[in-house]
Amino acid sequence: QVRLVESGGGSVQVGGSLKLSCAAHGYTTASNYCKAWFRQAPGKEREGVAAIHTSGQTRYADSVKGRFTISADNAENILYLQMDRLKPEDTAMYYCAADFRWRALCSTNVLEYDTLGQGTQITVTS
């Protein structure tokens, strides 16, 4: 069983940057799998932000393209989300997730991920 633990959340002003990390604790023999970041604002559904395949292929939600960058250190089992030019609408609880089933491509559909972290809060103030 793999456990995901996020860190790096906090409060930042509009236009600022933050970098989230997600450490995977536990052991897996999975290959060709996906990791992703999701977020959920109060009163809204959880939405996909970005996903990355173990091959390095990435996918982003339109709302964050050009501002957020997902990356992974597969050797250390750490997932990152660099967030630049933050906007008030980026305020949410951010969760990292993993889908350890064999996948050729990754999606940002939360229903396809069965391992989620507990989340870290991002607040963007104006």
Side-chain angles (χ1 to χ4, degrees):
Q1 186 79 17
V2 176
R3 183 169 62 93
L4 303 177
V5 180
E6 303 94 337
S7 60
S11 182
V12 64
Q13 289 191 325
V14 169
S17 299
L18 278 175
K19 187 172 185 177
L20 303 182
S21 300
C22 172
H25 300 276
Y27 179 74
T28 179
T29 59
S31 63
N32 292 87
Y33 62 91
C34 299
K35 292 181 179 178
W37 288 97
F38 296 90
R39 66 185 181 186
Q40 188 166 18
K44 295 188 177 181
E45 292 187 355
R46 190 168 294 177
E47 63 170 344
V49 174
I52 185 167
H53 192 267
T54 45
S55 66
Q57 187 179 53
T58 58
R59 176 169 291 189
Y60 294 92
D62 288 342
S63 59
V64 306
K65 277 181 185 175
R67 300 189 299 119
F68 290 12
T69 303
I70 188 171
S71 61
D73 182 334
N74 292 327
E76 297 294 329
N77 271 332
I78 301 175
L79 180 69
Y80 300 101
L81 184 68
Q82 176 67 45
M83 304 182 292
D84 299 317
R85 303 200 305 277
L86 283 159
K87 304 176 181 180
E89 52 263 43
D90 294 319
T91 295
M93 185 72 80
Y94 283 70
Y95 302 86
C96 66
D99 173 11
F100 292 109
R101 294 167 293 183
W102 193 97
R103 289 282 185 250
L105 297 172
C106 297
S107 83
T108 53
N109 183 346
V110 66
L111 296 178
E112 297 197 6
Y113 292 80
D114 55 8
T115 303
L116 265 69
Q118 291 186 322
T120 185
Q121 177 69 36
I122 302 298
T123 302
V124 184
T125 59
S126 55

